[in-house]
Amino acid sequence: MSSQVVIQFMPRDIAQLLKPLESGLIVSCQAPADSPLNHPTIIAAIAESVVAQNAVAVRIDTPERVTAVRQRISAPILGLWKQKIPGYEVYITPRFEQAQALAEAGADFIAIDATLRDRPEPIEILIQRIHQELGKLVVADIDSLESAIAAIQAGADMIATTMYGFTPATEGFSPPAFDLLAEILEKSNVPVICEGKVNSPELARQAIDLGAYAVVVGTAITGIEAHVQAFDAALRKKIPALLIERNDTYHFALFTQEHPSYRNYVRSKLRQYNPETTSANGYFDQSALRGLPIEIFLLDDRDKVKAGLVSLTRWNWLLIEALWVEESIRRQGFASQLMHLAEQEAKRRGCTEALLDTFSFQAKEFYEKLGYEMFAQVDDYPSGYSFFQLKKEL
């Protein structure tokens, strides 16, 4: 399909129905099939709890659970019904009869599997019947740009990246599907929900910043068993060490895997040592060590990042950490503008020096044109390339 195609489908009445979800958290209230928590009453209590903490909606499986949840909350319910049908691969609300049962139970939105796999009913007819006979909006759970476009053309009201990484076509892909989210938003103005392995508040915020209409979080909030298993595994796991030397009192242990507790202990002791022994008043306080960010981004009219500079000021130094410009707009002066803006802000904060590093395959010459001077070079780091450090007086 041509990269120039832009699909637009967003009637005003639908926009108003979707408005409560905008920039919000949708919680998938779930439990493993064999869990004692997998009971409609408990799922309903979980749903009531998350809505009380400002979740804008919940995602609920099966009509029985939707009925129980609807009795306890007035917030929107995204209903689905996982049904395995012999001979077909789609399983999230695959037929109209499942959608009808969800609607009758109290679901406001009907989520369907909209991947490009064998299905018992054509997706166009399924969505049309949900619209016309049930009066419900459709959330299309997709795994790819192609399936998203097909679902939009079939009339889906929202797209969700739910199936990314969970179908044979996307096996090996790791959610969250941020790249897919961006691709869909370039092709359409239909709202996109980011769902799948959004397992931290930071990732949820990132999804919204990238243009997601809302974010679905499941196991990271409601997965009690999974959390307990993770804690139990961490407590029971003993990281293997290689004994190098020992005497009656001490021994050296070499670890080829990360050892978070030992590593963090050593780092904490060093952080304690620095302010206790230095005469540089306040320089090694934790706030000073963290520095103060300067993050500048070039955004298009849809707030998509086209270029950006990430840096911080610490002591009297500007530390440039990353500079990137999208390939399609390079050599138009944006990188220089970003550097200039960062330097201006750093000088306003009282900085007198700037520091950065780069590799031989990156932008050493660019920085030198801006007045940066190389003071350190490491060759064959990595093999075949060189690593440079540069600084500049501001």
Side-chain angles (χ1 to χ4, degrees):
M1 183 162 295
S2 169
S3 61
Q4 300 302 312
V5 173
V6 176
I7 301 166
Q8 297 194 0
F9 176 72
M10 191 63 174
R12 181 172 299 173
D13 57 337
I14 294 179
Q16 291 303 312
L17 291 170
L18 296 179
K19 189 67 176 176
L21 308 184
E22 187 173 10
S23 299
L25 170 66
I26 302 169
V27 178
S28 180
C29 300
Q30 57 186 309
D34 58 351
S35 169
L37 300 176
N38 191 26
H39 187 279
T41 301
I42 296 176
I43 297 297
I46 294 172
E48 184 177 12
S49 175
V50 300
V51 169
Q53 300 305 316
N54 294 326
V56 298
V58 292
R59 184 173 162 112
I60 306 295
D61 182 22
T62 79
E64 184 181 16
R65 293 175 183 80
V66 169
T67 298
V69 171
R70 177 50 73 213
Q71 292 172 353
R72 300 184 70 154
I73 69 168
S74 59
I77 297 174
L78 280 65
L80 64 141
W81 195 355
K82 296 178 182 178
Q83 291 277 286
K84 294 282 189 178
I85 300 177
Y88 299 101
E89 295 178 310
V90 300
Y91 61 90
I92 297 176
T93 324
R95 295 189 295 203
F96 178 75
E97 64 185 68
Q98 283 98 41
Q100 185 175 25
L102 290 166
E104 292 172 352
D108 302 282
F109 301 83
I110 307 298
I112 67 170
D113 185 327
T115 58
L116 301 177
R117 300 185 288 178
D118 293 339
R119 56 188 320 113
E121 296 178 6
I123 191 171
E124 297 86 353
I125 294 176
L126 176 60
I127 292 176
Q128 182 181 37
R129 293 189 69 188
I130 293 172
H131 283 162
Q132 295 180 354
E133 298 179 38
L134 305 179
K136 301 296 182 181
L137 300 185
V138 175
V139 179
D141 293 342
I142 57 85
D143 65 339
S144 66
L145 177 62
E146 293 73 21
S147 61
I149 291 175
I152 295 168
Q153 292 175 332
D157 305 294
M158 298 188 81
I159 298 297
T161 60
T162 314
M163 303 303 294
Y164 178 84
F166 297 97
T167 61
T170 61
E171 186 177 3
F173 295 176
S174 298
F178 290 152
D179 289 343
L180 176 59
L181 170 67
E183 288 182 319
I184 298 171
L185 290 171
E186 286 184 355
K187 302 288 184 181
S188 167
N189 68 342
V190 171
V192 182
I193 297 173
C194 187
E195 179 174 5
K197 300 296 180 68
V198 183
N199 53 24
S200 73
E202 293 75 20
L203 288 175
R205 179 69 255 175
Q206 186 176 349
I208 294 297
D209 289 341
L210 290 172
Y213 197 81
V215 176
V216 172
V217 179
T219 303
I221 292 176
T222 63
I224 295 176
E225 282 93 350
H227 297 321
V228 172
Q229 290 169 6
F231 276 97
D232 180 64
L235 294 177
R236 293 177 183 275
K237 181 180 179 181
K238 185 174 179 61
I239 301 174
L242 300 175
L243 298 181
I244 303 174
E245 295 181 21
R246 69 180 307 152
N247 57 33
D248 292 338
T249 306
Y250 302 108
H251 63 272
F252 288 95
L254 185 152
F255 295 90
T256 57
Q257 300 178 39
E258 290 186 356
H259 200 303
S261 55
Y262 288 178
R263 180 184 64 229
N264 291 339
Y265 180 78
V266 170
R267 287 176 172 171
S268 69
K269 300 306 288 186
L270 181 61
R271 286 195 296 268
Q272 178 183 338
Y273 170 85
N274 288 336
E276 290 177 349
T277 57
T278 182
S279 60
N281 186 26
Y283 279 1
F284 287 92
D285 291 343
Q286 289 307 304
S287 59
L289 284 172
R290 283 193 297 270
L292 185 63
I294 297 178
E295 299 183 356
I296 308 170
F297 304 99
L298 177 68
L299 309 176
D300 64 13
D301 57 1
R302 299 179 71 173
D303 283 340
K304 180 180 178 182
V305 177
K306 311 298 284 187
L309 182 148
V310 177
S311 65
L312 59 87
T313 54
R314 181 188 297 147
W315 307 320
N316 63 324
W317 287 79
L318 167 65
L319 308 178
I320 306 291
E321 296 182 353
L323 173 66
W324 170 82
V325 178
E326 186 176 279
E327 188 172 0
S328 63
I329 60 169
R330 290 175 187 168
R331 298 177 180 83
Q332 297 183 37
F334 293 122
S336 298
Q337 288 178 269
L338 287 167
M339 291 291 291
H340 175 71
L341 291 169
E343 291 173 0
Q344 288 295 105
E345 173 62 17
K347 286 193 285 187
R348 188 189 67 79
R349 297 180 185 182
C351 292
T352 58
E353 307 278 351
L355 179 69
L356 60 85
D357 55 58
T358 188
F359 289 96
S360 54
F361 56 85
Q362 293 179 326
K364 175 173 175 286
E365 292 77 11
F366 164 77
Y367 294 121
E368 289 175 330
K369 289 180 181 178
L370 297 180
Y372 286 80
E373 297 180 353
M374 184 184 72
F375 66 89
Q377 175 175 341
V378 180
D379 294 326
D380 281 332
Y381 180 74
S383 180
Y385 300 98
S386 296
F387 173 77
F388 308 103
Q389 290 185 307
L390 300 90
K391 65 178 182 178
K392 174 183 177 179
E393 290 187 10
L394 297 179

